Amino acid sequence: MMSDTAGPIAIFDSGVGGLTVAAAIARALPQEGFVYLGDTARLPYGTKSPETVTRYAVQATRALMRFQPKMIVVACNTASAVALPVLAAAYAPLPVVGVVEPGARAAVAASRQGRIAVIATEGTVRGGAYVRAIHALNAQVHVVQRACPLFVALAEEGWTHGAVPELAARKYLSDIFEVETPPDTLVLGCTHFPVLVDAIRKAVGPAVALVDSAETVAREIASIVRASGSGAGPAVHRFLSTDAPERFARVGSQFFGAAIDVAQVELVDLSA
Amino acid sequence: MMSDTAGPIAIFDSGVGGLTVAAAIARALPQEGFVYLGDTARLPYGTKSPETVTRYAVQATRALMRFQPKMIVVACNTASAVALPVLAAAYAPLPVVGVVEPGARAAVAASRQGRIAVIATEGTVRGGAYVRAIHALNAQVHVVQRACPLFVALAEEGWTHGAVPELAARKYLSDIFEVETPPDTLVLGCTHFPVLVDAIRKAVGPAVALVDSAETVAREIASIVRASGSGAGPAVHRFLSTDAPERFARVGSQFFGAAIDVAQVELVDLSA
């Protein structure tokens, strides 16, 4: 089903948050190259309508096709939640993998009591994709959602530890978790959220299982790649940004977990 | 110099923050109509490059020209800071008014000791437009800048009062104001910031003059309109949004200070 087993894995996100997914893929498949596109000129997607997000996702995927990728990874939860069917139909038989279904699978596997909370952007919550994906696996699971848009800004600002993220996490989460039978599992349904994991952990307590879809999606991608025979090409990592490569490299490095050299980042225009 | 004295005042912003400027204009000129465009599909501008912001500002202005406006008001500080010369040249002799120069004038007038602090988005701070505008008026003034990107997210989320904005304001501002000779004046150099004025006031203390450019720019516009003879048309207020009219109306109402009916908001596409 691969269009080109020697091609890179194409990954796109609204910005730099999806670099947590790229990093997990690089760890799971160290021999595979990837090309990562961050649509930083139009981020965030999480506050925008499904129509606008779908249009942006189609443009991003089109820009990635020139690299003849072996698969498309939609690392953005919001785009995964609203645009995946359109992309899958447009680029079949190329595999198009989102982060919502792997996250839902991991959450259902982690939950012992069938009570799952999902935190995500406004767009992801409003679309209800996690709720549908979880219920498709197990209709008995109780799911509660909460949009946490400020987490995106905190992660981008690098305010990942200390009083501000901790207070914000409590403000978003305490009414969900301070009840008699709280959720036993919390899905971090936005690629920005894993960097806030310490503040989130303080708000929800030690007993709640935290599900980060980056790791789960990387395992899923690894199994697809291994099943189809992976390429032997060198593991080149390319980065494309629709705005300000300098900022992409600077802010992106903390999500990627390794330094990104600004010389590695190519500026692209999706609206052309 | 007016292209059409019966035309509306055209106002644009990256999103809904500029509605604080629209509201000030409506108060200063109750007989004048306006058309307001919020580029919500691509907000925020504050983290994006000058080239991208200028391109977006040109597209927004082009979309507003179909209303045959009497003037263009760039309510967005970031766009004012980087795109004003391009817009003024492209649309001369139509007046193009930004928010940076009126804000700088108000700050210089308010400052008794010649020490001014400017808080704004990353893009505005990096471009240094406030520093240049203040020094053009008085080269002796000491200016210190600080980018406060999280304030935008707090304002959009409606977290305008309480511990989170107060802690964020202290984190951004305390090292600037807890010195021997602190600034005596603080410019709120982003249209989102006035809704956070209580938290900002707590962080800087009671003695600092706060300058909100919305009021100043409205006075400047009123004087231009009065000088050229204002139209006698009904004061119709139109709203255009590049994304999700429902969200524009809901979030925008708190910046406008009055309810915006979603039926008043027209969805427009600037990239077409």
Side-chain angles (χ1 to χ4, degrees), chain A residues 164-212:
Chain A
V164 177
E166 286 172 18
L167 265 176
R170 276 216 299 279
K171 199 163 151 79
Y172 279 132
L173 299 172
S174 61
D175 68 318
I176 295 178
F177 285 89
E178 286 168 9
V179 295
E180 205 170 317
T181 52
D184 61 63
T185 300
L186 175 66
V187 178
L188 309 182
C190 173
T191 50
H192 280 77
F193 296 176
V195 296
L196 295 162
V197 70
D198 290 349
I200 292 167
R201 172 60 77 195
K202 282 196 180 173
V204 303
V208 175
L210 299 186
V211 172
D212 167 3

Side-chain angles (χ1 to χ4, degrees), chain B residues 5 7 16 34 42 69 75 103 111 117 130 141 160 177 181 196 203 219 242-243 247 256-257 263 266:
Chain B
T5 54
V16 294
F34 71 72
R42 303 189 293 199
S111 178
Y130 272 102
V141 172
T160 55
F177 284 90
T181 53
L196 294 163
R219 280 199 294 277
T242 57
D243 194 25
R247 188 176 200 277
F256 194 49
E266 181 190 343

Side-chain angles (χ1 to χ4, degrees), chain B residues 99-196:
Chain B
V99 288
V100 171
E101 287 188 19
R105 265 195 296 281
V108 170
S111 178
R112 287 157 177 249
Q113 289 143 355
R115 291 192 303 276
I116 297 174
V118 177
I119 55 173
T121 64
E122 272 185 84
T124 302
V125 165
R126 205 172 39 228
Y130 272 102
V131 179
R132 282 195 303 280
I134 290 168
H135 283 161
L137 295 163
N138 184 342
Q140 305 304 312
V141 172
H142 179 74
V143 188
V144 56
Q145 300 188 98
R146 175 68 39 96
C148 303
L150 205 77
F151 282 174
V152 176
L154 287 166
E156 293 254 335
E157 182 68 334
W159 288 13
T160 55
H161 296 83
V164 178
E166 286 172 20
L167 265 176
R170 275 217 300 278
K171 198 162 152 78
Y172 279 133
L173 299 172
S174 62
D175 67 316
I176 296 178
F177 284 90
E178 286 167 9
V179 295
E180 206 171 318
T181 53
D184 61 62
T185 300
L186 175 67
V187 178
L188 309 182
C190 172
T191 50
H192 280 76
F193 296 176
V195 297
L196 294 163

Side-chain angles (χ1 to χ4, degrees), chain B residues 32-53:
Chain B
E32 294 289 326
F34 71 72
V35 52
Y36 179 97
L37 189 157
D39 190 8
T40 51
R42 303 189 293 199
L43 68 80
Y45 286 5
T47 53
K48 287 155 195 171
S49 68
E51 297 72 26
T52 293
V53 171

Side-chain angles (χ1 to χ4, degrees), chain A residues 40-44 47-49 52 55-56 122 149-150 153-154 157 159 163 167-168 171-172 243 247 250 271, chain B residues 40-44 47-49 52 55-56 122 149-150 153-154 157 159 163 167 171-172 243 247 250 271:
Chain A
T40 51
R42 304 189 293 197
L43 68 81
T47 54
K48 286 154 196 172
S49 68
T52 293
R55 183 156 49 91
Y56 291 175
E122 273 185 83
L150 205 76
L154 287 167
E157 182 67 334
W159 288 12
L167 265 176
K171 199 163 151 79
Y172 279 132
D243 193 25
R247 187 176 201 278
R250 176 169 49 84
S271 60
Chain B
T40 51
R42 303 189 293 199
L43 68 80
T47 53
K48 287 155 195 171
S49 68
T52 293
R55 184 158 46 94
Y56 291 175
E122 272 185 84
L150 205 77
L154 287 166
E157 182 68 334
W159 288 13
L167 265 176
K171 198 162 152 78
Y172 279 133
D243 194 25
R247 188 176 200 277
R250 175 169 50 85
S271 61

Side-chain angles (χ1 to χ4, degrees), chain B residues 10-97:
Chain B
I11 307 165
F12 91 84
D13 182 43
S14 58
V16 294
L19 289 165
T20 59
V21 177
I25 292 171
R27 282 192 298 273
L29 293 166
Q31 80 288 4
E32 294 289 326
F34 71 72
V35 52
Y36 179 97
L37 189 157
D39 190 8
T40 51
R42 303 189 293 199
L43 68 80
Y45 286 5
T47 53
K48 287 155 195 171
S49 68
E51 297 72 26
T52 293
V53 171
T54 301
R55 184 158 46 94
Y56 291 175
V58 168
Q59 290 171 340
T61 306
R62 197 183 299 142
L64 286 164
M65 292 306 288
R66 72 173 157 111
F67 296 95
Q68 301 182 279
K70 65 174 62 170
M71 65 192 311
I72 302 285
V73 179
V74 184
C76 173
N77 279 267
T78 308
S80 293
V82 303
L84 213 62
V86 171
L87 295 178
Y91 292 100
L94 197 69
V96 179
V97 177

